[in-house]
Amino acid sequence: MKRWQMRRNCALTPKQLLQFYIVLVCLSLIVAAGFFLAGVWVIPIFTAIELCAVTLGFLIYCRHALDCETIEIDGKRLIIKKFIGYKESVYEFNSQWAKIEPPIEGAKVFYISQSNLRVELGQFLRLEQQIPLIAAVRLHLG
């Protein structure tokens, strides 16, 4: 079985992001509590707004941190799995009949198609990474 996996380039894993978030929340709350005890009541309000905005941003980041696309070839089966935003889609092709379409000039993605099914791939790769991948997959297609 031959397998290629394309992942989103993320600087932090969800676990590392959670650890950073906990430290950020603790520091922000300590500073806000200090100002509140000193009689400056407006700082905790802005701290709450800040933490809500950061929480929303981090949730959006985590939702897509594990996104990936996988191409598997097992004999005459070509299986494409896309995991985008906690939703997994699986497509199965016959490797003898499937065709790979290279990216059109200026496009970021390429396609694998068979009859009326066409799947978009390569959104996590740079163009210079797509060309060798397309060549490697093409070797296994009929």
Side-chain angles (χ1 to χ4, degrees):
M1 176 177 11
K2 200 72 173 153
R3 181 181 188 158
W4 297 271
Q5 190 164 31
M6 300 158 278
R7 290 194 164 280
R8 183 177 296 275
N9 185 13
C10 292
L12 298 173
T13 65
K15 182 180 178 183
Q16 292 170 329
L17 187 66
L18 178 64
Q19 292 169 346
F20 174 74
Y21 177 73
I22 290 170
V23 170
L24 179 70
V25 167
C26 290
L27 288 174
S28 293
L29 291 176
I30 289 169
V31 170
F35 276 101
F36 183 75
L37 292 174
V40 183
W41 56 269
V42 77
I43 299 297
I45 293 171
F46 283 105
T47 300
I49 294 170
E50 169 217 358
L51 290 177
C52 287
V54 168
T55 301
L56 180 64
F58 283 178
L59 287 174
I60 292 169
Y61 177 90
C62 282
R63 179 176 174 87
H64 293 286
L66 300 176
D67 289 358
C68 69
E69 299 171 333
T70 305
I71 301 173
E72 294 178 6
I73 297 180
D74 187 15
K76 293 190 179 200
R77 293 176 55 206
L78 169 69
I79 302 166
I80 296 174
K81 297 177 183 174
K82 295 179 77 166
F83 186 76
I84 310 291
Y86 297 118
K87 180 183 177 221
E88 185 174 31
S89 304
V90 179
Y91 306 93
E92 188 169 333
F93 298 92
N94 183 326
S95 64
Q96 301 298 312
W97 298 337
K99 291 185 171 46
I100 190 163
E101 304 170 26
I104 301 169
E105 185 67 33
K108 189 177 173 173
V109 296
F110 63 94
Y111 296 91
I112 293 182
S113 61
Q114 177 183 322
S115 62
N116 62 349
L117 180 60
R118 188 174 188 222
V119 178
E120 178 183 280
L121 291 167
Q123 66 180 335
F124 306 128
L125 299 176
R126 295 186 312 272
L127 184 60
E128 59 268 14
Q129 294 173 310
Q130 285 183 0
I131 304 303
L133 175 67
I134 290 170
V137 171
R138 203 173 255 155
L139 290 174
H140 298 279
L141 300 180

